[in-house]
Amino acid sequence: MGAAKLTRFLRILLAAGMVCGAFGSVGGSVAKPLNIVFVNPGKAGEVYWDMVAQAMQAAGRKLDARVEVLTSERNHRTMQELGFGVVARPDKPDFLILSNEESAAVPILEAAEAAGVKTLLLSNTLIGEDAVRFGPPRQKLKTWLGDITTDLQTAGARMANALITAARAEKWQSADGKIHILGIGGDETTPASIARNAGLTRAVDAASDVVVDRMLFANWTQSEAERVTANYLSWAARKQIRPAGIWAGNDPMALGAVRAAIAAGLVPGENIQVVGLNWSEDALREIKAGRMLLTDGGHFLLGGWSVVLLRDYADGCDFAAVSPRVEVKTSAITRDNLASVGDLIKTRAFDRIDFTRFRAKAGRCGQYDFSLDALISSLPVAEGVAD
């Protein structure tokens, strides 16, 4: 082979290698190991945030990404200190994942911008004045790559509509002809809570025969929800109001409501319905027993999906090709579909999920199917019902 032909041949090989490096990893082998730090806003042992972190680490094992989890113990000052510590490290991670709980992530985002650390917001993004001041991802804060959230307003509405449908079917109207519901929210400031509560309002506003007697807040905990539910049921009895349903913004609060209803002489599932959100093992057990109508959710898998996004981004397939803001739909688990994912949640064996199957295909960057059906199809064997 002559020198000119050899040079041309080498150029072709080099070009092929460059193309492979840029696109060959999408949906297939990965380019380089990633270091990701997740500042978990929850407490150690808090079911939802534990599941987020576990799904994230399971996805990391499938996608060649080491995920370090730092836990804030529900203290926004601790969360900020942990975040500042990460961006100040001499050996910085490839990505930092934060949740804007109590709007506490903004100072960390600003510090990350100054330090050149790429960030992703999970579950709770910027709201209010912060959203106005910084605009969308990658505008004023260049290293804020985007956010991955769930459509929790639709989830809240779906939960409320399930209560309303069940109450109408059983004719659980009070003496005034109305269906009376208690709403229990987590808090009044967190974006994820605001969205769920708005979903309840949306559903009730569309139903002229439904009234929310009280919208109470229980700080996401079972004990506080049990207390406020007991107070509500005592009030309803004095007012001769027949309570038809209890809408709770997460599963622990729903479980507290179930306990209070039983203590008040009611039979959840027979003369009052309770709904929650989280896909927790305890809620699935209550659904199987008939004491809860449903648990909406699947949003703990945002942990796994976030690693999918960042793996694709690192390998040259930027999710922002569609939008820097990725919104995932939740789904309701009832007695009808409990068998499909019950064992996965009970065992938290998230390594069963083939996260590589969820990566964007070449030429379709930013296009993802994170649905319940896609999740079920990714599991190697049929899942059993939670005990």
Side-chain angles (χ1 to χ4, degrees):
M1 182 181 293
K5 288 184 177 180
L6 178 60
T7 300
R8 187 163 58 251
F9 178 66
L10 290 173
R11 284 175 178 169
I12 292 171
L13 285 179
L14 179 60
M18 290 171 67
V19 171
C20 183
F23 300 105
S25 63
V26 177
S29 61
V30 293
K32 75 176 185 71
L34 298 178
N35 285 308
I36 299 171
V37 177
F38 171 45
V39 179
N40 185 340
K43 291 182 178 180
E46 188 175 346
V47 173
Y48 170 70
W49 284 111
D50 279 357
M51 292 172 74
V52 170
Q54 290 160 0
M56 195 179 291
Q57 291 176 318
R61 287 188 285 272
K62 289 288 196 300
L63 297 170
D64 201 10
R66 177 181 176 272
V67 178
E68 177 187 357
V69 179
L70 306 175
T71 304
S72 303
E73 298 297 332
R74 281 272 173 206
N75 186 316
H76 72 273
R77 293 186 186 279
T78 301
M79 185 176 86
Q80 291 176 345
E81 289 170 2
L82 291 171
F84 293 150
V86 171
V87 301
R89 291 178 183 178
D91 186 14
K92 293 175 173 47
D94 296 296
F95 302 104
L96 173 62
I97 301 177
L98 305 166
S99 181
N100 192 35
E101 292 264 320
E102 299 184 36
S103 297
V106 170
I108 311 173
L109 289 174
E110 292 178 297
E113 176 77 8
V117 176
K118 294 181 174 66
T119 56
L120 182 74
L121 288 181
L122 179 149
S123 187
N124 293 295
T125 188
L126 302 190
I127 59 171
E129 293 181 3
D130 292 330
V132 173
R133 181 157 60 106
F134 292 107
R138 311 193 194 193
Q139 190 175 88
K140 291 186 178 178
L141 296 173
K142 305 295 184 186
T143 61
W144 173 30
L145 299 181
D147 48 53
I148 179 166
T149 59
T150 41
D151 182 6
L152 292 173
Q153 184 173 141
T154 297
R158 180 166 49 238
M159 293 158 59
N161 284 325
L163 285 180
I164 294 167
T165 298
R168 285 173 177 163
E170 297 294 337
K171 296 182 170 55
W172 286 348
Q173 289 84 358
S174 194
D176 60 359
K178 301 284 188 180
I179 292 168
H180 288 254
I181 290 174
L182 166 64
I184 308 175
D187 61 53
E188 297 181 81
T189 59
T190 301
S193 183
I194 293 169
R196 296 174 215 205
N197 303 341
L200 168 61
T201 301
R202 188 177 83 190
V204 171
D205 285 349
S208 59
D209 59 336
V210 179
V211 60
V212 175
D213 291 322
R214 295 282 189 275
M215 186 66 200
L216 306 174
F217 296 92
N219 198 32
W220 304 106
T221 65
Q222 179 172 330
S223 58
E224 286 195 45
E226 185 174 355
R227 179 181 60 79
V228 301
T229 302
N231 290 341
Y232 162 76
L233 293 175
S234 177
W235 171 85
R238 293 195 305 272
K239 296 291 184 180
Q240 297 186 320
I241 289 172
R242 189 221 186 282
I246 302 173
W247 180 102
N250 74 352
D251 284 346
M253 295 189 297
L255 296 169
V258 167
R259 291 187 61 171
I262 292 171
L266 297 170
V267 183
E270 292 186 17
N271 54 21
I272 190 170
Q273 292 287 6
V274 180
V275 296
L277 189 152
N278 268 15
W279 280 17
S280 67
E281 179 189 349
D282 288 340
L284 298 189
R285 189 177 296 113
E286 293 299 298
I287 289 168
K288 186 180 181 184
R291 289 184 291 268
M292 275 181 63
L293 182 61
L294 64 81
T295 175
D296 212 285
H299 55 310
F300 69 86
L301 286 166
L302 291 181
W305 308 146
S306 66
V307 177
V308 172
L309 299 186
L310 295 178
R311 179 76 264 179
D312 281 354
Y313 174 89
D315 293 347
C317 189
D318 190 351
F319 58 91
V322 171
S323 172
R325 316 201 106 136
V326 178
E327 187 176 71
V328 180
K329 302 293 183 184
T330 64
S331 301
I333 294 180
T334 66
R335 296 184 81 175
D336 293 335
N337 62 0
L338 179 59
S340 62
V341 288
D343 190 56
L344 174 74
I345 296 167
K346 175 187 175 184
T347 61
R348 300 195 198 177
F350 303 136
D351 284 297
R352 296 180 189 176
I353 302 170
D354 184 2
F355 286 97
T356 63
R357 293 182 54 176
F358 293 91
R359 300 189 65 188
K361 304 297 185 292
R364 301 182 63 191
C365 296
Q367 299 182 43
Y368 296 98
D369 180 4
F370 294 141
S371 66
L372 178 60
D373 287 344
L375 171 65
I376 292 169
S377 69
S378 79
L379 301 175
V381 295
E383 304 294 350
V385 179
D387 294 332

